[in-house]
Structures are given as structure tokens and as C-alpha cells.
Amino acid sequence: MMTAAHQRLNASAEKLSKTKSFIGNSTLLEDEAARLAALYRCQILDTPPEPEFDEIVRLTALICGVPIASISFIDLDRQWFKACFGWQIDALSRDLALCGRALQQKDVFVVTDASTDSQFATHPWVCSQPYIRFHASVPLIVAEGRAIGSLCAIDRTARELDLQQIEALQSLGRQVVKLLEQRSDRLSSTSTVNRQHPSNKRFFTRMAVGLGLASATLLGVGAVSHHTLTSLGRNNDKQIQHYRVLEDLKDIHASMQKATIAKHRYIATGQPSYLEPYYDAARDIQTKVIHLQQETNNNPHQQRRLSTLQPLIEQKITEIERATFLRKTKGATAASQTTLLEKSKYLTDKIEAIVQDMESTEYALLQKQSQAEFTRTRQTMFAFAAAICLNMLLLTGVYGFTDREMRERQQMTEAIAQERDFSESILNTAGVLVVVLDPQGKILRCNRTCEEMTARTATEVKGKFFWELFSLPGEAELPKTHWENLLANQSASQYEGYCLNRDGNTRRIAWTNTILRDRQGLVEYAIACGIDVTAHSTAEESLRHSEQHLRNIINSLFSFVAVLSADGTLIEANQALLDAADLQPKDVLGKSLIQTYWWSYSPTVQAELRSAIDRVSQGEKVRYEGEAKVGDDRFITIDFAFTPMYDASGKISYIIASGTDVTERKQAEAERVQANEQLSNWVNELKQRNHEITYLSYTVDVLQACLTLEEACTTLAQLVQSLFPQASGGIFLNRNTKSLLEPVATWGVPLLANQQAFNPDDCWALRLGKPHWVDDADDGLLCKHVHHSLPAESLCVPLMAHRETFGVLYLGSLEKGVLSPAKRQLAIGVAEHIAPTLANLKLRETLKNQSIRDSLTGLFNRRYMEEALEREMLRCDRKQQPLSIIMLDVDYFKRINDTLGHDAGDAVLRELGRCLQSYVRGSDIACRYGGEEFILILPEASLGVTQLRAEQIRAAVKQLHVESFGQPVGAITLSLGVASFPKHGLEGEAILKAADTALYRAKQEGRDRAIVA
């Protein structure tokens, strides 16, 4: 079959290349070759009759009420008929094909009267037998989008199809296409049977491959899981080892503390029972150190730290044993002196630092291994999930192959059942009464609509005469007469009659009767199609009543309604419109709307209304709002909507004007606009407040991020000025003294933003303890720190924190209204938010100075000196520069204390601190080392320069005149020792020791001198 189809297609292609046109009404489409290919694919040409197609043409004639119906296909040079009803024909020349034009359409092609159609009036079948007048065709469009034929309904009288008949014809056309597709599938399945065995073999091969891949995937997942579990076991062992090391380090630290505590208790009490905890702790330390060596055997870094820690522990134990020995031999005083040595503290700090470093290292390694374990576990889970998904995909593919095989077999079975039920479904779902009669008028079959109306099944009514069932009792003569006329005239007949439905109600039915003939031309069936027009006739009567009812409703409306002609003449006006100006219908009807009383008062208004009516006359819907006169000096505003109304030909027949009195609405709209403006102002104010609150929060965050009070004050001016851009002001704080408030941040006009310190009593806000507002410089109570003649308004807000007032926020403006109530409230909020932050910064600086400064001299203390010395040595070493220190001691200081008292000694130390601060550079560091000893650190200073500086300081101190309670202390001399890095050592301790040695030599050589180490 396929070979024959290809041969026919090739032959058609050759003909197409030679033939350029056809004679007659049909012409070849531009894609004729593709259309013919689609036709030949269906393998329908020259096939014997099939019941499915015959049933469709019979149903087509029944639904459309025509005597002739056919299914035909357009070949290259002929029209071939697959199924016919009402006539007998196999094929005819394509030149005579009536459905040629239908192939060029996408929808139903209808010719209501072929005798008046210019293209069909001269056709032989129109001018002679069979005298065709009506022709309706629906193209048969297959999957390729090509029209290969048509389903036709033909009648010998002119007629039209209603909407339901057209929709049914389209549905039947789609059913023909579906039959063609299924028929083609059945034919192609025949050749598929011959290839069934290889297809089954491929099917089972695919299933085997899919199941094999799924099994391989599961094996891979098992291998990955085994590897992951092994790795997790090893990581777990390492983590346990790290936890053991941490426990050992904590035990060593605890044992050291126990040993130290036991030592102090023994030295204090001398009881031997306190030595037992010490010996236990010492043994524990030795055991833990050995255990640590074993646990950290594979960690070189920890081994190095442990090798450093072990000698320190031994030194510390030796120091403890020495103290206990001194306690036994020389008493508690000698033993206590050993505990006060700097070396003991140094050993303890060093041991703690190394233990903490080792703990940090172990924690870092433990965290790194935990992260690696988490990453490996997550990767394994991802791999496992991917494998499961892949396995599911493979199994889904196997299932898909099986399901497709089953569905292909099931589709064939369903298609056959669907074709069987289709014809009956269309008949039963039709919304009209369909009755099939034999030539005697007896009922053979009826659709479901008839069964529902008569409350009888098709079996019960079969064999009964049509006029007995579908007429009122005693009125059977009318349908019987029409039946006899139908048989006599052999053409369709139409009439209206009455019958009873299942509820006993009388229904009016419009019947159309059609005869269906067999191939010999004899009457085989008669089709009676009835439509229930009871509602339609009732609707006509209701329409007349509703028209009057609508008129009454329009007159009862409070809205204005008018009916105009197309040129604007007033045809009708409701009572509300007439009563508005106390008019009668005779006063306005028949006049142009613009000439009526309502709008005749103004030519301008008349021109606007005329323009609106002209636009409506062009088919546009128009809204018009204008003032109408309703009395002497009385006007109302009417909102009119003009709507054009069309007749059956599409022309404007009249205009509906509906309007409403919007006078009160216009007034309400004006009030609403005013309210909206007020609401908009409130919204803008809320937005501004929200912005200010957000920026204030940002300001507090910035201040909290500042490290010093100076930094906060520098930043504060810019931040606060952004909140008050049109005002000037400043922030004043009590920083170093209780007597004055100093400006730390000012902005705006300099004369308004006072930049001088002032007494707290000069500000009324500080004296009152609450904000002080002045909006009149002449009458208001201005603060003394404000220039009295300048600000139009000013505000002072105290800064309070921890129940203490330590500053004030001042704002001023040269113009009134800048500091609105909202701005004043914002200023109070700013003060409340920044005050705690500034107080905390001030307190932080105070605490920091107390931690690194000596309270008596104001110099740095020994702790800061040690940190600074180490830092500066590293910096100088990095820059390849020297660093020198001067260690100095006040000569005969003990004599001053013993002779003049400690107050005199404190006075000497204070004056010496001031002197040293005046003789050091900004990069130098002056420290009080202890007692009367001081140290100067001079970064990047050579030994010679430092020696010269030492001599200058010694000479300057000799010139000091110190008094204590009015009594002169006398001349003060210094002994100084000078040492330099790296000449005298590479460690800070070595440099200090060298300077101390030089100082000792200066003391031995007679004091009042500077000696270089």
C-alpha cells in the first residue's frame, strides 16, 4: 500500500509540473504537492464503502435537514466520493467539484442560494439536474494542516443553517478526520506486526540494560558509602586524640595551680600536710607531660611547644621546691621573698601562654577535621541522592517502555469503541427533538431529548405513530396532514404544533420534516427535528409587557434619562429630567437637545454639548459633564453618558443619554481633595519622622563604633547636622574639668554656634535639668552662652547619663519655624540617644588611662612600658634602626621621705614626671618603673644621642625647685643608666638589665651622673 501511495504521489508530481491551472471553479493550492502527499498518506482513495463513514453522512443529512450529504476527497484531477447519502455517485471531474472552494477555507463554507452566486450560477448541477441550490461544506484538515476533502450538505432549495447546525457540522467534520487518522493507524499497524519480534527483542534488551545500570548504580553507592564510613572512623579516632590532648593540657594547668596553691599554703602555715597535694600535683604533671609526648607524637608543632613547656615546668617545680626548702630552713619571710620575684611570675605567665597556645592549636585542628568530616559527609549524601535519582530515572525508563507498549495496544481497542459510540452520542446530546420515522410515519428511533420530554424510553415509543405521541389529544390531524404533504411533495416541510411534556405542561414545538432516500430513490426514512419555541413565543409577549414596564421604571428613576435621535433631537425624556426644571413633555420633545431650556442659557455650553453629540453620532461613547439651568439663577451639574444604539444594519438609530446630578458630589470631591492634601502632608511628615528615626539609629550605631571620644566628637558634627540641616548648633561637654563646658562639635553659622567654653550656670537647660526653648530673642529667657541679638529661636537640651549631666545640645536658627515642634522633639530624642554613648566613651577613656598611667606622675606605668618596649623593639628591628632606653633614679629619695615626709616625696615625683614629659619627643615613651625609678624609651635614637639626652635631663632636674607645704625640698639629682638595642641585647629584658647595671654603676660612682652600659 505504501509503495502504491508513493507511486501515485510521484505521478501526481509529474502532472503538476506540466499542468499550470484547472478549468472551472476549483484551482490548485500553491502547496498542492504537500496536500496530495497528505491525502495519499491516509490511503483512502478507491477503497470500498465503510459503515462508519456512511453513518456520518446519514447523520449530517439528519441534523442539517437536507436530502443529500457526502464525504469526498479532491485528487489531482477528480473528486472521489467515499460515502454518499441521498444520491449515488462515485467520482466526477475536479472541474465540476463544488467543494473546491471549501479546501481554501478554515471554517464552514456555506452557499445559501447557488443560483444567485456569481461563481456557482453557471455550474451544470445548478442549471440542470439535480438543480442544487444550497451547499454547505466543512474542510477535512488532517494533522499536516492540509485540507484533503470535505463533508458536504446539499439541498435543492435555498436555505440557511442555524448556529447549532453549523457547530454540529464542524463536529462531524472533525470526527471524519479522526476516523481517517485511526484508519491510517490501523493500516500502519499491519506492517508493524511483521516487525513485532525484533521490537520485542529490543524492548527486553532495553529492560535488561536499564536494570543492569540500576544494579551497577547501587553497587557504586555501596562502595562510596563503605569508603565514607571508613574515613569517618579514622576522623573520629583523630578527634578523640585531640580531646585527650586538651584534657591533658587542662590537667597540667590545674596541677600547676594546685602545686602553687599548696606552696603558698605551706609557706603561710608551715604545715607538712600541705606538701602532699604539691607532690601529687608534681607527679600528675610528669605523667601528663609524658602522655602528651605520646599523644602529640605525630604533630611536630605541638612537640616543639611541648619541648619548650617541659623545661619551664621543671623550672617552676624547682622554684616551688626551693621556696619550700627555704620555708623549712629559713622561715616564711625568706620563702615569701622568692614568691615575689619577677622570675616566678614570668614562669607562670610563660607556662600559661604555652598551654593556651597548645589548646588553641588543638581546637583549630579539631575544628578543621570537623569541617572536613562535614564536607565529606555532605558530598557523600549528594552522591547517594544523585545515585538514587539516577536509579529512579532508569527504573522510570523501564516502566515507561512497558507502559508505552501497553498503551499502544489499549489505544486501538478504545478507538474502535469510540467510533461505535460517537454517532449515538451526537444524536443524544443534540439540544433538539430528533425522531426517525419509517415511510408509514411510525417511530423507529428517538434521541434522549425526546425521552426526557415524553418520559418514555425509545423502546416504549418504537412502532407508535408520530402524530399520536407529539400532538395534543384530539389534534392529531395537523401533524398527520403535514406528514402526507411531505410524502406528496417530497421536500422538507415546516410547521408549529403543541404537545404535552412529562409534567403535563403544554409545549410549543417548531417541527422540520425531511425525507431520506435510499440508493434507489425510494423513501427509506423521514427525519423530524423539533425545537421547543415555547420560551420564544412567551418571550415575545413578555417583551411587549416589559417595554411598558421599562418605561415606567425609567420614569421612576431619580437619574436623568433621555432618548435622542442620531442628529440630537430629543425623542423621550424621563420624569426626573422634566421635574428638575418643572417642564412638560410638550416643552422639550421634538426639539434639539441644545435648544431646550436646560442648555439654552449659554452659547458656550451649547457648543460643548453639540460637540459631544457629534462625537456620539460617529459611534463613540462620550461622557459629558456640564451645568444645566433648572430655574431662575439656579443651576445643577449633570454628568451625562451618551451611548449610541445600532439597528440591524449597523447604523445608529438613536442615542441614550443617562445622567446624574453630581452637584453635591462635586462639592464632596472638593472637600475630599482638601482632605487628601492634608493626609498627604501627614504622610510626608511621617516619612520624614521615619527617616529621622532611621538616621538617628544610624548615628548611634556610628558613635558606638567609635573607639575614642575624640573620634566620636569629630564624627558627631556631620551626623547631627544632617538631622538639622537648616539650623546651627553645637554639642558642649564637660571633659577635663567640672567648671567649664567645652565645644566638641559645632556646625552652621559661627555666630550662632558658639565655639567658646562656658560655665554650666550660663545655660538655663542645665540649671533647670530639662530642655529650654526660646522663640523670641527679645521676650524670651536666653542663655548667657547664646548671642542675644542673633537667633530667632533657640533650643538647649541637657545631655544626661547615669543620673549625671555632663553636656548640652544647642540648636539655633536665624529664621522662625525652622525648629518646628517635630524638630524639637527630634532634638530631645537625639540628646537622649547620644548622651549614654558619649558617657560610655568618656568612661572608657578614663578607665584606659587609669590602666596604663601612673596616677601620681601621669606617666605610663610599668605594664604599659613592657608592652611598648617589646612593640618598639620589633618595629626598630624591622626598620633596622636602634632603640635606646634611659633608666633613672632619684638620689637620696629615701632621705627625702624620712626627713620631709611622703608628701614631699610625692611632690618630687610629680615635678619629675612633668619635667620628663617636657624633655621627650612625641614618639618617646616616659614611664614610672617603680618607686623613684623611671624609664625613658627612645625609638630610633642612637646611643650617643640618648647619652646627650640623659645629660640634659639630669641638668634640668637639678634646676627644679620643689616645695612641700611651703618648705623647699632642696636640690634634686638623678643617677642615670643608658643602654641601646641591639648593642646591649636583643631582648627587652637584656636591655633593661644593661640599663639597670649602668644605673647601679652611676650610684656606686657617686650619683648625679649618667653612665652608658
Side-chain angles (χ1 to χ4, degrees):
M1 290 295 293
M2 291 300 295
T3 303
H6 284 298
Q7 291 176 353
R8 181 177 293 172
L9 182 60
N10 293 333
S12 300
E14 292 178 1
K15 281 189 176 183
L16 283 174
S17 63
K18 297 177 181 180
T19 305
K20 296 183 179 179
S21 62
F22 283 92
I23 302 172
N25 294 329
S26 350
T27 58
L28 284 178
L29 302 176
E30 295 180 358
D31 54 352
E32 182 68 10
R35 190 191 68 80
L36 291 174
L39 173 62
Y40 299 152
R41 180 189 63 81
C42 295
Q43 305 177 40
I44 192 67
L45 295 177
D46 302 322
T47 57
E50 300 178 30
E52 295 86 352
F53 294 96
D54 294 339
E55 182 69 20
I56 289 180
V57 295
R58 186 178 295 108
L59 191 58
T60 300
L62 174 67
I63 292 176
C64 295
V66 296
I68 302 171
S70 67
I71 296 174
S72 62
F73 300 93
I74 304 298
D75 200 356
L76 179 64
D77 54 1
R78 63 172 177 162
Q79 179 181 6
W80 182 79
F81 292 85
K82 173 64 178 177
C84 296
F85 180 82
W87 66 354
Q88 183 65 35
I89 188 171
D90 293 329
L92 71 151
S93 174
R94 183 168 177 175
D95 298 341
L96 300 177
L98 288 172
C99 61
R101 286 179 58 186
L103 269 63
Q104 304 176 19
Q105 308 295 324
K106 296 296 183 183
D107 207 343
V108 178
F109 174 68
V110 180
V111 179
T112 58
D113 190 353
S115 62
T116 61
D117 191 286
S118 59
Q119 295 190 12
F120 293 97
T122 58
H123 194 280
W125 284 8
V126 177
C127 300
S128 59
Q129 285 290 342
Y131 297 106
I132 295 175
R133 292 294 180 266
F134 171 77
H135 174 264
S137 301
V138 57
L140 304 178
I141 302 175
V142 294
E144 292 88 339
R146 311 295 180 180
I148 63 175
S150 64
L151 170 63
C152 300
I154 299 174
D155 200 349
R156 296 182 179 88
T157 60
R159 59 180 300 146
E160 292 184 355
L161 295 180
D162 58 27
L163 183 59
Q164 291 181 346
Q165 291 172 327
I166 291 175
E167 291 178 351
L169 189 60
Q170 291 174 332
S171 177
L172 290 170
R174 290 192 293 270
Q175 184 64 20
V176 173
V177 173
K178 185 177 293 185
L179 283 175
L180 291 173
E181 296 292 340
Q182 293 176 354
R183 186 179 180 280
S184 178
D185 292 339
R186 288 197 300 269
L187 292 176
S188 62
S189 64
T190 303
S191 60
T192 305
V193 173
N194 298 326
R195 300 190 299 271
Q196 190 66 34
H197 179 69
S199 176
N200 289 339
K201 184 176 181 180
R202 287 196 302 272
F203 170 72
F204 287 112
T205 302
R206 290 174 180 173
M207 289 188 63
V209 172
L211 293 175
L213 290 175
S215 301
T217 302
L218 292 176
L219 290 175
V221 171
V224 172
S225 300
H226 178 266
H227 175 71
T228 302
L229 290 176
T230 304
S231 300
L232 290 176
R234 290 197 297 268
N235 285 338
N236 189 37
D237 294 339
K238 291 181 180 180
Q239 291 179 0
I240 292 174
Q241 185 178 359
H242 289 309
Y243 282 120
R244 290 173 179 172
V245 171
L246 290 173
E247 290 296 329
D248 291 341
L249 290 172
K250 292 179 180 179
D251 291 343
I252 290 175
H253 186 264
S255 298
M256 290 297 299
Q257 291 180 344
K258 290 179 180 179
T260 304
I261 293 172
K263 178 194 73 171
H264 286 297
R265 290 177 176 176
Y266 176 72
I267 292 173
T269 62
Q271 297 179 8
S273 60
Y274 287 113
L275 292 179
E276 289 300 325
Y278 160 70
Y279 293 132
D280 293 340
R283 287 192 297 271
D284 289 343
I285 291 171
Q286 295 298 328
T287 303
K288 295 301 180 180
V289 168
I290 295 173
H291 190 259
L292 270 178
Q293 290 176 342
Q294 296 174 354
E295 294 291 342
T296 60
N297 191 31
N298 56 350
N299 191 335
H301 175 74
Q302 294 291 65
Q303 284 287 325
R304 289 193 299 270
R305 302 301 293 167
L306 187 59
S307 62
T308 304
L309 177 63
Q310 189 171 3
L312 294 175
I313 292 175
E314 293 176 354
Q315 293 179 21
K316 183 64 178 179
I317 292 175
T318 303
E319 181 265 332
I320 294 173
E321 290 177 349
R322 180 185 174 193
T324 56
F325 176 75
L326 290 175
R327 178 62 178 87
K328 292 178 182 179
T329 58
K330 297 184 179 181
T333 303
S336 299
Q337 290 178 354
T338 60
T339 60
L340 299 176
L341 292 178
E342 187 65 27
K343 183 176 181 181
S344 176
K345 185 177 182 302
Y346 170 77
L347 287 175
T348 302
D349 293 343
K350 195 69 175 178
I351 289 171
E352 290 181 354
I354 294 174
V355 170
Q356 291 176 359
D357 181 60
M358 293 181 71
E359 288 179 347
S360 300
T361 302
E362 289 299 324
Y363 279 121
L365 291 174
L366 186 61
Q367 184 178 5
K368 181 178 180 181
Q369 289 178 357
S370 298
Q371 184 65 29
E373 180 180 344
F374 173 75
T375 302
R376 188 178 294 105
T377 303
R378 185 174 61 181
Q379 292 174 351
T380 302
M381 292 300 295
F382 286 160
F384 186 80
I388 292 299
C389 293
L390 178 59
N391 197 40
M392 292 298 295
L393 288 175
L394 291 173
L395 293 177
T396 302
V398 172
Y399 172 78
F401 292 143
T402 305
D403 182 66
R404 186 178 65 180
E405 193 75 15
M406 298 299 295
R407 283 188 287 107
E408 288 177 354
R409 290 184 173 92
Q410 186 178 3
Q411 285 174 358
M412 297 299 297
T413 305
E414 292 176 351
I416 296 173
Q418 184 180 7
E419 290 301 321
R420 183 182 63 247
D421 299 336
F422 178 73
S423 299
E424 185 176 357
S425 298
I426 292 180
L427 188 63
N428 288 329
T429 56
V432 297
L433 304 173
V434 180
V435 184
V436 182
L437 309 175
D438 64 6
Q440 288 76 36
K442 294 182 179 181
I443 299 175
L444 297 177
R445 187 177 180 183
C446 66
N447 67 345
R448 188 173 300 167
T449 306
C450 290
E451 294 178 348
E452 293 175 353
M453 180 175 179
T454 60
R456 298 181 182 180
T457 64
T459 304
E460 292 175 349
V461 301
K462 186 175 182 180
K464 294 182 180 294
F465 285 102
F466 173 77
W467 46 82
E468 294 178 354
L469 189 63
F470 294 98
S471 64
L472 294 176
E475 298 182 3
E477 290 299 324
L478 177 63
K480 188 175 181 180
T481 301
H482 279 281
W483 170 254
E484 293 173 351
N485 292 335
L486 176 66
L487 295 178
N489 298 329
Q490 298 185 358
S491 62
S493 66
Q494 297 180 356
Y495 72 96
E496 292 186 1
Y498 294 91
C499 66
L500 297 176
N501 65 359
R502 63 188 304 172
D503 298 326
N505 298 323
T506 302
R507 309 299 298 178
R508 187 174 183 178
I509 308 298
W511 292 99
T512 300
N513 300 330
T514 305
I515 293 177
L516 302 179
R517 300 180 182 275
D518 58 12
R519 295 179 183 271
Q520 288 75 31
L522 301 176
V523 177
E524 184 177 9
Y525 302 107
I527 305 297
C529 294
I531 300 177
D532 188 347
V533 295
T534 306
H536 179 71
S537 59
T538 305
E540 289 180 349
E541 183 66 23
S542 300
L543 182 61
R544 289 189 293 271
H545 292 287
S546 64
E547 183 177 353
Q548 182 61 38
H549 183 61
L550 180 61
R551 188 184 300 275
N552 296 333
I553 291 176
I554 291 175
N555 285 327
S556 65
L557 293 176
F558 291 102
S559 301
F560 305 139
V561 180
V563 181
L564 312 176
S565 64
D567 60 355
T569 301
L570 184 62
I571 301 174
E572 193 72 43
N574 73 334
Q575 198 63 39
L577 184 58
L578 296 173
D579 292 344
D582 196 17
L583 299 174
Q584 296 297 324
K586 63 181 181 178
D587 299 331
V588 292
L589 296 184
K591 295 182 180 180
S592 176
L593 183 65
I594 63 175
Q595 300 297 332
T596 57
Y597 176 81
W598 298 296
W599 286 279
S600 61
Y601 69 91
S602 171
T604 303
V605 174
Q606 287 180 322
E608 293 176 353
L609 186 58
R610 178 75 265 176
S611 175
I613 295 176
D614 291 342
R615 289 167 57 193
V616 179
S617 300
Q618 300 298 322
E620 182 181 353
K621 293 182 178 180
V622 178
R623 290 289 297 272
Y624 170 76
E625 184 177 294
E627 288 189 345
K629 185 178 180 181
V630 294
D632 297 337
D633 299 328
R634 284 196 311 115
F635 297 88
I636 61 173
T637 303
I638 301 179
D639 182 10
F640 263 122
F642 293 94
T643 304
M645 307 303 292
Y646 299 89
D647 57 16
S649 62
K651 296 182 180 179
I652 297 177
S653 58
Y654 57 91
I655 300 172
I656 299 296
S658 59
T660 306
D661 184 357
V662 296
T663 306
E664 296 181 357
R665 192 191 72 186
K666 298 292 288 185
Q667 296 174 354
E669 285 183 355
E671 296 175 356
R672 181 175 57 83
V673 170
Q674 183 178 2
N676 286 339
E677 291 179 355
Q678 184 177 6
L679 180 61
S680 178
N681 293 334
W682 289 345
V683 170
N684 293 332
E685 184 177 349
L686 288 176
K687 289 181 179 179
Q688 179 65 23
R689 291 295 301 276
N690 183 55
H691 170 72
E692 291 172 349
I693 292 173
T694 303
Y695 192 81
L696 177 57
S697 177
Y698 168 74
T699 301
V700 174
D701 292 341
V702 171
L703 290 180
Q704 291 178 349
C706 293
L707 299 178
T708 63
L709 186 61
E710 293 294 337
E711 183 182 10
C713 294
T714 304
T715 309
L716 199 56
Q718 180 179 358
L719 294 176
V720 177
Q721 185 179 8
S722 299
L723 293 173
F724 308 97
Q726 298 179 352
S728 302
I731 295 177
F732 301 84
L733 299 179
N734 188 342
R735 300 183 64 182
N736 299 323
T737 175
K738 294 287 185 179
S739 59
L740 293 178
L741 292 176
E742 301 176 2
V744 297
T746 59
W747 61 89
V749 180
L751 292 177
L752 287 181
N754 186 14
Q755 299 182 4
Q756 297 179 355
F758 61 88
N759 194 291
D761 293 337
D762 293 341
C763 181
W764 284 104
L766 296 178
R767 295 168 66 178
L768 296 173
K770 61 181 181 180
H772 181 63
W773 161 249
V774 176
D775 58 353
D776 191 341
D778 296 330
D779 298 335
L781 189 63
L782 281 175
C783 297
K784 293 182 181 180
H785 63 87
V786 179
H787 293 278
H788 288 258
S789 61
L790 287 177
E793 52 187 14
S794 64
L795 175 67
C796 294
V797 183
L799 300 178
M800 304 178 66
H802 311 301
R803 299 181 180 180
E804 178 184 355
T805 302
F806 64 93
V808 65
L809 168 63
Y810 165 73
L811 294 174
S813 174
L814 296 174
E815 299 178 0
K816 287 192 175 184
V818 174
L819 297 177
S820 62
K823 287 294 184 181
R824 297 199 297 271
Q825 190 64 34
L826 176 63
I828 296 173
V830 169
E832 292 176 351
H833 281 79
I834 67 173
T837 305
L838 294 176
N840 290 337
L841 287 173
K842 183 178 179 182
L843 178 60
R844 188 190 306 170
E845 284 192 355
T846 302
L847 294 176
K848 183 177 179 182
N849 287 331
Q850 291 177 355
S851 65
I852 64 173
R853 295 278 185 177
D854 178 60
S855 59
L856 179 62
T857 63
L859 302 179
F860 291 109
N861 56 21
R862 179 171 180 173
R863 175 185 175 187
Y864 182 82
M865 181 275 298
E866 291 174 350
E867 295 176 355
L869 178 60
E870 184 177 359
R871 181 179 65 250
E872 293 297 330
M873 286 181 65
L874 292 174
R875 187 175 64 83
C876 291
D877 183 41
R878 188 167 55 252
K879 297 174 66 175
Q880 298 295 316
Q881 293 291 331
L883 179 142
S884 300
I885 64 173
I886 301 174
M887 181 179 290
L888 56 94
D889 183 82
V890 180
D891 295 334
Y892 303 110
F893 183 75
K894 187 175 184 303
R895 182 188 303 170
I896 296 175
N897 281 334
D898 295 341
T899 305
L900 301 177
H902 290 284
D903 290 336
D906 291 344
V908 171
L909 294 178
R910 279 194 296 270
E911 289 300 324
L912 180 58
R914 296 191 188 97
C915 180
L916 292 178
Q917 286 180 339
S918 64
Y919 273 87
V920 296
R921 301 171 298 174
S923 59
D924 297 341
I925 302 172
C927 310
R928 183 182 180 187
Y929 193 58
E932 68 274 16
E933 290 186 352
F934 296 84
I935 288 180
L936 301 180
I937 301 175
L938 289 74
E940 301 184 17
S942 63
L943 188 61
V945 172
T946 305
Q947 184 179 7
L948 179 60
R949 180 68 59 84
E951 289 294 340
Q952 293 174 350
I953 293 172
R954 185 185 63 80
V957 170
K958 291 180 69 174
Q959 303 299 322
L960 292 177
H961 297 283
V962 182
E963 293 183 356
S964 176
F965 299 103
Q967 182 179 358
V969 175
I972 301 172
T973 60
L974 299 178
S975 297
L976 302 94
V978 180
S980 178
F981 164 83
K983 181 176 181 180
H984 298 105
L986 301 177
E987 299 288 339
E989 185 177 356
I991 304 301
L992 291 173
K993 186 174 181 180
D996 185 56
T997 302
L999 173 62
Y1000 184 71
R1001 285 173 51 200
K1003 291 284 188 180
Q1004 288 182 335
E1005 293 180 8
R1007 294 180 173 81
D1008 192 18
R1009 65 192 66 213
I1011 301 296
V1012 178

